[in-house]
Amino acid sequence: MMGQKVFGAKCTSCGTVSYPRHAVCPNCRAESFEDVEISGTGKVLTYTDVYALAIDYETRYLRLAIVELESGQRVTGQLLDDDPKLGKAVKTQIGVVREQGERQMYGFQFVPA
Amino acid sequence: MKPVYIAGAGMTKFGRSEWSLLQLASVASLAALHHADLGEIPVDGVVVANMGAARINRQTALGSALVDQLALYPAAAEAVENGPASGASAFKVGVQAIASGMADVVLVTGVERMRVVNGLEGTDFVASLSQPEVEYIYGVTLPSLAGMFARLFMDRFGVERKHLAMIAIKNHENATKNPYAHIQQTVTMEGILTAPEAVVNNPPIAEPLHMFDCCPVSDGAASIVLVSEEVAGKLGGPMVRVAGIGQATDTHAVHEREDPTDLKAVRIASEKAFAMAGAQPADVDVAELHDAFTILEIAESEAAGFFAKGEGHKALERGETKLDGTLPINPSGGLKAKGHPVGATGVAQLVELTWQLRGEAKERQIKDAKIGYACNFGGFGNNVVATVLRREA
């Protein structure tokens, strides 16, 4: 989606980027952060096709993954790949990952790099 | 700290129940109170463990509600919500009350009535424990976290689907010896994995996990009566001591863990519990692990210190964790087959250990069991309570 980004929190003291953000830096315990965009290419650490879905989804299953980005962060998101494999190169894009009534929630989708 | 003993234990049958939340809690509580046979000795406190009643049963303040049901006024009452670790957390609160000298008798009751809502709503209520901004919004549910964990763990350590099936087969077999278990049916390797019809019998839930890798959704309650040394002395009978409790947390989002296959909170909680008990994993005669998913029994058996990393499935293959093995795991049937009424589970694990240590486990009794260990695994491993019980006399 144009203009949609996902942000992590970069500690202004030690530079550690956390995703999700914490009130206190897990690395140095500082309490001040600046937003940094998280995106790019990475590798699939693990994935699943989940059929035990929560409310808000009408699909039969969701393909979810944890990806290790080259920038160092790990992120969870939806894997849009018909041939998923551990270690496969993917890149992030931003899309609607959940709809609650009228509310659309944006987040990571991973597509083959 | 003052010593704390378990004087009584009881539970309802797990499964689908027509009873209300409070009826379930009352029946389990009365079973434990009758087992303890307190006579005129008053109950000082009641701690109720529950995760979902505020949302799925539209009921809150369960501690005082249970005191009222049992007419235990003016006993102190509270409720503990700590995700799937609520049960052992409530137990810990009860133990602390007695260890501190503030109470002499505490009733701890875990209860959940979750089959009243449909599957989507039930799965969602548990999924609401996940990290809201970076997990829940993607449709993450507990089975999906377990599926992703399982795929990585199996890839790294050579665990195969047949090992997961062995856990299911063992725990279903154990459950047939437990009249309180939800599932009373044995399963076979052919039926759930190798025969052509296995794909129909055992559909995928969160690949590589299938239906028989996942615990059922259950209603139920379990209850324990904790007492001080003075009260235990008055009651006589078998003395089961709360030897050690350890608790640890880990990151909320699974992807933030340095090694997502390392159940760090299980490791730390267990180390603390064993240190407090002055015992080693090798001393344990019987263990109840939190096998909400079959892979977790293998991973927890390693993180708790019973087997080296990557060795849990090999010990399973050798039969060491069967009822007649060197370290029986989940004689009750585990969450897999006994059932998993979320708030009741941590208490039910300790009910089973109490019965085992008192020699009251009948068909599934482990001979001369003296030391028991339980792992109550909250979140997806972000809040773990480990408990060590010891038979003293």
Side-chain angles (χ1 to χ4, degrees):
Chain A
M1 268 294 158
M2 288 291 286
Q4 294 286 348
K5 292 178 179 175
V6 174
F7 293 98
K10 183 176 181 180
C11 175
T12 54
S13 177
C14 75
T16 299
V17 176
S18 293
Y19 179 75
R21 62 184 62 244
H22 303 258
V24 172
C25 175
N27 183 51
C28 75
R29 304 207 51 77
E31 300 171 16
S32 170
F33 305 90
E34 57 192 31
D35 284 351
V36 287
E37 185 186 353
I38 296 182
S39 65
T41 55
K43 287 180 177 171
V44 174
L45 177 72
T46 184
Y47 67 93
T48 187
D49 290 345
V50 59
Y51 295 79
L53 298 173
I55 53 175
D56 305 327
Y57 292 97
E58 285 174 10
T59 173
R60 200 163 75 89
Y61 70 92
L62 277 174
R63 183 164 286 166
L64 300 174
I66 295 176
V67 166
E68 290 186 311
L69 296 175
E70 281 167 10
S71 54
Q73 285 76 48
R74 282 206 212 100
V75 295
T76 302
Q78 294 175 355
L79 181 58
L80 308 182
D81 182 356
D82 291 335
D83 183 30
K85 285 188 176 66
L86 294 183
K88 187 167 173 177
V90 290
K91 62 184 179 189
T92 59
Q93 66 178 37
I94 306 298
V96 176
V97 292
R98 191 168 198 144
E99 291 183 84
Q100 293 184 321
E102 297 289 296
R103 186 177 170 215
Q104 294 186 314
M105 301 162 99
Y106 290 89
F108 287 121
Q109 294 170 335
F110 309 120
V111 294
Chain B
M1 277 196 301
K2 298 183 178 194
V4 181
Y5 291 87
I6 293 175
M11 61 188 283
T12 67
K13 185 181 188 311
F14 284 2
R16 188 187 181 91
S17 178
E18 296 305 317
W19 292 344
S20 73
L21 191 72
L22 283 181
Q23 276 176 301
L24 286 164
S26 299
V27 169
S29 301
L30 287 174
L33 288 165
H34 293 152
H35 192 218
D37 199 10
L38 294 168
E40 297 299 308
I41 301 167
V43 174
D44 301 316
V46 172
V47 188
V48 172
N50 172 266
M51 180 176 172
R55 173 166 168 182
I56 58 181
N57 312 110
R58 296 186 179 231
Q59 193 166 355
T60 57
L62 299 181
S64 35
L66 183 59
V67 166
D68 182 73
Q69 278 296 306
L70 303 173
L72 289 173
Y73 334 100
E78 50 230 313
V80 171
E81 191 279 290
N82 195 25
S86 297
S89 266
F91 179 86
K92 190 186 80 171
V93 168
V95 168
Q96 287 170 328
I98 294 172
S100 69
M102 288 183 72
D104 281 304
V105 180
V106 176
L107 173 73
V108 179
T109 298
V111 62
E112 204 75 60
R113 186 164 189 260
M114 52 196 294
R115 293 196 60 124
V116 69
V117 293
N118 68 39
L120 284 172
E121 181 69 25
T123 302
D124 193 70
F125 121 71
V126 184
S128 67
L129 65 76
S130 66
Q131 215 290 347
E133 294 155 21
V134 307
E135 290 183 330
Y136 181 80
I137 64 158
Y138 294 106
V140 162
T141 56
L142 269 288
S144 68
L145 293 175
M148 289 194 285
F149 176 85
R151 192 181 303 276
L152 190 58
F153 194 94
M154 291 165 79
D155 182 65
R156 284 201 186 159
F157 301 109
V159 177
E160 298 168 36
R161 274 195 65 207
K162 72 174 182 187
H163 297 108
L164 305 184
M166 284 177 199
I167 298 279
I169 292 163
K170 170 179 73 71
N171 292 353
H172 277 250
E173 173 74 30
N174 291 353
T176 62
K177 298 178 169 65
N178 181 357
Y180 297 94
H182 184 163
I183 313 281
Q184 301 280 345
Q185 180 191 32
T186 56
V187 292
T188 63
M189 191 62 83
E190 294 74 30
I192 64 173
L193 189 65
T194 56
E197 65 270 24
V199 293
V200 180
N201 294 342
N202 193 11
I205 299 294
E207 291 278 11
L209 302 176
H210 288 236
M211 191 172 78
F212 282 94
D213 293 308
C214 306
C215 64
V217 176
S218 319
D219 301 327
S223 191
I224 278 186
V225 178
L226 293 166
V227 298
S228 63
E229 188 170 27
E230 190 193 343
V231 170
K234 281 185 200 164
L235 295 174
M239 301 276 273
V240 173
R241 183 168 173 179
V242 183
I245 299 180
Q247 185 170 14
T249 51
D250 201 349
T251 66
H252 198 175
V254 172
H255 73 228
E256 271 209 294
R257 296 176 196 168
E258 199 174 333
D259 175 359
T261 64
D262 181 20
L263 299 180
K264 197 172 173 182
V266 174
R267 194 153 45 77
I268 295 171
S270 301
E271 284 167 2
K272 285 182 172 175
F274 283 119
M276 182 174 165
Q280 304 289 330
D283 301 329
V284 171
D285 300 307
V286 52
E288 285 281 312
L289 301 185
H290 196 110
D291 58 332
F293 305 96
T294 48
I295 187 70
L296 286 178
E297 182 173 310
I298 295 171
E300 289 168 13
S301 73
E302 297 171 1
F306 299 122
F307 309 112
K309 189 101 180 174
E311 296 293 319
H313 67 290
K314 296 176 190 165
L316 169 75
E317 254 180 359
R318 291 191 294 266
E320 291 175 24
T321 59
K322 287 183 172 177
L323 270 190
D324 60 357
T326 47
L327 176 64
I329 293 179
N330 286 328
S332 70
L335 283 61
K336 175 69 206 78
K338 182 178 62 188
H340 184 26
V342 182
T345 284
V347 182
Q349 292 177 317
L350 299 168
V351 167
E352 175 69 13
L353 292 184
T354 300
W355 288 340
Q356 289 285 352
L357 300 182
R358 289 170 63 116
E360 297 169 353
K362 302 199 170 84
E363 265 193 276
R364 60 187 191 283
Q365 179 65 45
I366 289 140
K367 197 164 174 286
D368 299 325
K370 294 283 187 291
I371 295 185
Y373 164 94
C375 173
N376 190 191
F377 184 89
F380 193 79
N382 72 348
N383 193 332
V384 175
V385 183
T387 307
V388 177
L389 303 182
R390 180 188 281 122
R391 169 74 183 258
E392 286 195 340

